[in-house]
Amino acid sequence: MPSYDRPTTDPHAAAGATPGTDPAPAAPAPPDDGGGAGREVTEAALFEAFGGVRGLVETVLPGLLFVAIFTVNKDLHVSAIAALAVSLVLAAVRLVRKDTVKHAFGGVFGVAFGVVFAMMTGNAKDFYLPGMLYTLGLAVAYMVTTLAGVPLIGLILGPVFKENLSWRTRNPGRKKAYAKASWAWGLILLGKCAILFPLYWWADTTQLGWVLIALKIPPFLLAVYLTWVFLVKAPPPIDVFAEMEAAELAEQEGKAALAKDGGGSTTGRHRRES
């Protein structure tokens, strides 16, 4: 299973930011054997795309605080305010450290929607409802986009691997891996919903909350692991950014060569005339 410690190589600046390194608009490099640079690039990409350990903490902590406080005092307002406050603190810490804030702010919005729902209905269980509906919608999106030939995980990771949508037409092996990964995400999230939605109707707030917290990380790690397995075995990404840079460089060199040749011809003509 991939390591969740930040890789020293930055490839999605490995995967979260910069994988593929093909310098020219040529055919993709030979498939990686599942180890070495290809493995490191994939691990770093997934780490970056899905937030790593810190992203998991930012996702789990507000909900954990909510259910812990509500279990003790049954006070919806105190529990909701505490959850929202800690999510804002996490986002503020990222801002101060000048880190990427997409995961933290995603948590802030999720918690805020939960707080609004719960406050409007007066039912503490509704704090969890927006997140549950989001999970269900995401599961459907993974499966529908895969059936449509544009698996969602490819749309998410393509820019991170600097391949954009090149995998759709130029890298069929990679498209197949993205399809498998998207099915894995969709089915895992759908299974999670199959557990949570009955509990929403039948269980009390604390029971639902603790089960939801227990199901936060394991399904996510399983989906990330399966994605890693599929991508490590797939052909490497085609770095379309490197291709564009190479094409631009070739164009500039061509213009420079023409200018040089033109200058040489003019100089020769002046010498003959003199």
Side-chain angles (χ1 to χ4, degrees), residues 21-48:
T21 54
D22 255 352
D32 190 88
D33 61 2
R39 183 183 296 262
E40 293 175 4
V41 165
T42 301
E43 290 179 6
L46 293 177
F47 187 100
E48 173 72 15

Side-chain angles (χ1 to χ4, degrees), residues 31-251:
D32 190 88
D33 61 2
R39 183 183 296 262
E40 293 175 4
V41 165
T42 301
E43 290 179 6
L46 293 177
F47 187 100
E48 173 72 15
F50 297 116
V53 174
R54 189 173 179 182
L56 288 177
V57 171
E58 291 169 342
T59 299
V60 173
L61 189 56
L64 177 61
L65 189 61
F66 177 91
V67 69
I69 294 176
F70 191 84
T71 299
V72 173
N73 63 16
K74 306 298 182 184
D75 190 318
L76 169 59
H77 291 80
V78 173
S79 303
I81 292 172
L84 184 58
V86 75
S87 65
L88 288 171
V89 169
L90 292 171
V93 169
R94 279 192 177 266
L95 285 174
V96 170
R97 293 167 57 91
K98 297 182 179 180
D99 294 333
T100 178
V101 297
K102 60 182 179 180
H103 301 290
F105 277 126
V108 170
F109 288 125
V111 173
F113 277 119
V115 169
V116 170
F117 267 60
M119 294 294 189
M120 288 177 59
T121 64
N123 184 352
K125 283 197 290 187
D126 287 340
F127 173 80
Y128 305 111
L129 187 57
M132 292 166 58
L133 292 173
Y134 173 78
T135 299
L136 178 59
L138 194 58
V140 173
Y142 274 118
M143 293 186 286
V144 169
T145 55
T146 303
L147 290 173
V150 283
L152 181 58
I153 199 72
L155 300 178
I156 295 172
L157 295 181
V160 175
F161 281 112
K162 301 174 103 175
E163 60 183 332
N164 284 350
L165 295 178
S166 63
W167 50 267
R168 286 197 64 198
T169 55
R170 300 173 57 192
N171 207 339
R174 198 158 181 85
K175 180 179 179 180
K176 185 177 180 181
Y178 280 140
K180 290 180 179 179
S182 288
W183 277 118
W185 277 92
L187 293 174
I188 289 170
L189 293 180
L190 200 60
K192 180 177 176 179
C193 290
I195 296 172
L196 293 178
F197 275 96
L199 288 176
Y200 174 80
W201 297 108
W202 302 332
D204 61 31
T205 301
T206 55
Q207 290 171 336
L208 174 62
W210 287 113
V211 171
L212 193 148
I213 293 299
L215 290 178
K216 276 281 186 181
I217 295 180
F220 173 82
L221 292 182
L222 176 59
V224 171
Y225 173 72
L226 291 175
T227 301
W228 175 79
V229 169
F230 295 139
L231 291 182
V232 162
K233 296 179 180 179
I238 299 171
D239 190 341
V240 295
F241 295 112
E243 290 183 345
M244 288 188 290
E245 290 173 0
E248 184 178 353
L249 179 61
E251 182 180 358

